[in-house]
Amino acid sequence: MIRKVKGTRDILPPESRLWGVVEAEARRIFEGFGYDEIRLPVMEPTELFVRTVGEGTDIVSKEMYTFADRKGRSLTLRPEGTAGVARAFIENGLGQRPQPMRLSYMGPMFRYEKMQRGRYRQFSQIGIELLGASTPQADVEVLLALHTFLNALGFEDLVIVLNNLGDPEDRERFVEGLKNELLPDQERLCGDCRRRWTENPLRILDCKVPICRELVAHTTPVADVVSDEAKAHVDAVAEGLSALEIPVRLAPRLVRGLDYYLRTVFEVISPALGEDTVICGGGRYDRLISDLGGKAVPGIGFAIGEDRLIDVLPDSFKHRVLDVPVVAVLPLGHEATASALALTVQLIEGGLRAPAEVSGRSLKAGLKWANKMGAAVALILGPSEIAEQMVLVRDLREGTQETVAQDTVVEKVRDLLGRGKTE
Ligand code: HAM
């Protein structure tokens, strides 16, 4: 037997329905804010991620699915979406369009990570990017879009944490200071962090090893050493969020696992999953497009980890999506199937979920099938009903039935289902 690749998942019904509705909600809300979808390749030149996400990051140094194609070009399965958006922005001259450009995306990303709950090698992100605006108000809008989306799904317990990374110049200064503070304990850092010491010291702040965490906890937070300008920017973001009553928690030691960020950075955490399993991450990246050879176009955005989001969906949302009543359409004999299928279309157009029996089951077996599916109502259609343009409507929960005219069946079924709901 062939099994799926480690770290990938089969998303089966009915859970797949949750994915579909979450994505539809994301489209509805983000389109409302003016974000249009950009659909990008899943593979990109490896260099794109090396130059944006950063050589010293875990993603680039040990998590990428990189391979040579038949002509020997180095390609990588995208580990994230922002780099591709920046590349596409430059390559398609999107700077010529009215600015800011609001783009959204959803789809699979790939990272060779150690498997654990909520951590996969193929996972899905839903993200938005706002390009061409550098104001704090742009950051507020992006966070409002995130907050609105999470609210629409019924979340009440998620927490947005926010920090100020300063500008790249601030960060250089910060990293010098950090190294000075950690110098006496350098030997106590984990092996990875001793490597990070030279390659990318900021990443030491991200380390999950307890001893590194403990040492880092005593260092000066990055938000304390940023320039007045950067400070004013993120303070204005916090004020804007407070004016909209969006609760945020300041997290002075939050850094992100990608190199392109500056100033505003944020994450969404779920008390249910713990602080290490982040639901969403994002921030500002004003130098990303110019670093890739484009004009100086500022940007900000985020990506939600869809797998993790689905994992902690509120029960209210799950019930709304999963408890959709089913109507089973049962033709008696093959000759009745065409009429049954035509009836099915009528029901579907009426907003109902109405699968037909097409396996040639007897009435008894058909009713068993309907019950197994959890159908609330069965519609039975035999030669005499067809001749009279009638249909037998059986309420499977009550065990009652009545014959109604085919052209009133949608109304009748809705009525039965509505009654079931209030009981
Ligand atoms: P990121 O923090 O690397 O940011 O990823 C965003 C989210 O993707 C994470 O918060 C997490 O929920 C999910 N995620 C990451 N890795 C995995 C995994 N192995 N398994 C399951 N879920 C995962 C970015 O990717 C940035 N591009 C976000 C961004 C957009 N910043 C600005 N614009």
Side-chain angles (χ1 to χ4, degrees), residues 1-74:
M1 191 174 100
I2 299 175
R3 294 182 178 278
K4 62 182 176 297
V5 173
K6 190 171 168 188
T8 64
R9 324 171 61 194
D10 300 324
I11 312 240
L12 308 176
E15 197 201 328
S16 53
R17 255 196 250 167
L18 295 172
W19 288 70
V21 178
V22 161
E23 287 163 12
E25 277 297 276
R27 289 207 163 87
R28 183 177 74 83
I29 303 283
F30 297 143
E31 277 172 17
F33 276 93
Y35 290 80
D36 264 319
E37 189 174 9
I38 183 163
R39 295 185 177 226
L40 296 173
V42 164
M43 55 184 176
E44 297 273 4
T46 302
E47 196 197 345
L48 176 66
F49 303 111
V50 175
R51 280 182 45 192
T52 56
V53 174
E55 209 152 7
T57 60
D58 282 354
I59 296 178
V60 170
S61 66
K62 49 186 187 193
E63 294 172 0
M64 293 209 299
Y65 279 91
T66 296
F67 55 96
D69 74 2
R70 286 174 183 275
K71 288 269 165 67
R73 287 170 287 237
S74 180

Side-chain angles (χ1 to χ4, degrees), residues 59 79-83 105 111 113 118-125 127-129 256-258 260-261 267-268 278-285 300-308:
I59 296 178
E80 62 105 47
T82 312
Y105 53 88
R111 296 183 194 176
E113 289 202 76
R119 181 151 294 158
Y120 307 102
R121 292 184 178 168
Q122 175 175 338
F123 58 98
S124 277
Q125 285 187 345
I128 67 173
E129 312 287 352
R256 304 256 311 114
L258 305 93
Y260 47 65
Y261 293 113
E267 289 182 345
V268 175
V278 178
I279 301 278
C280 167
R284 182 161 275 291
Y285 48 84
I300 177 161
F302 62 76
I304 297 166
E306 198 177 352
D307 306 72
R308 294 180 188 179

Side-chain angles (χ1 to χ4, degrees), residues 177-186 189 197 204 215-216 219:
L178 178 73
K179 284 172 101 171
N180 275 335
E181 287 181 80
L182 286 176
L183 196 57
D185 296 309
Q186 192 185 358
L189 292 168
W197 187 274
I204 296 173
L215 294 173
V216 158
T219 59

Side-chain angles (χ1 to χ4, degrees), residues 270-349:
S270 145
L273 288 176
E275 308 237 335
D276 288 342
T277 309
V278 178
I279 301 278
C280 167
R284 182 161 275 291
Y285 48 84
D286 293 351
R287 313 263 173 108
L288 175 61
I289 291 188
S290 54
D291 284 349
L292 274 179
K295 295 211 172 89
V297 177
I300 177 161
F302 62 76
I304 297 166
E306 198 177 352
D307 306 72
R308 294 180 188 179
L309 185 79
I310 304 260
D311 201 19
V312 293
L313 277 175
D315 286 339
S316 57
F317 179 86
K318 286 201 241 178
H319 288 310
R320 173 155 69 86
V321 175
L322 297 178
D323 299 348
V324 177
V326 176
V327 180
V329 182
L330 308 177
L332 300 182
H334 285 306
E335 313 73 56
T337 301
S339 305
L341 287 172
L343 193 67
T344 294
V345 173
Q346 199 184 320
L347 293 155
I348 294 166
E349 299 288 359

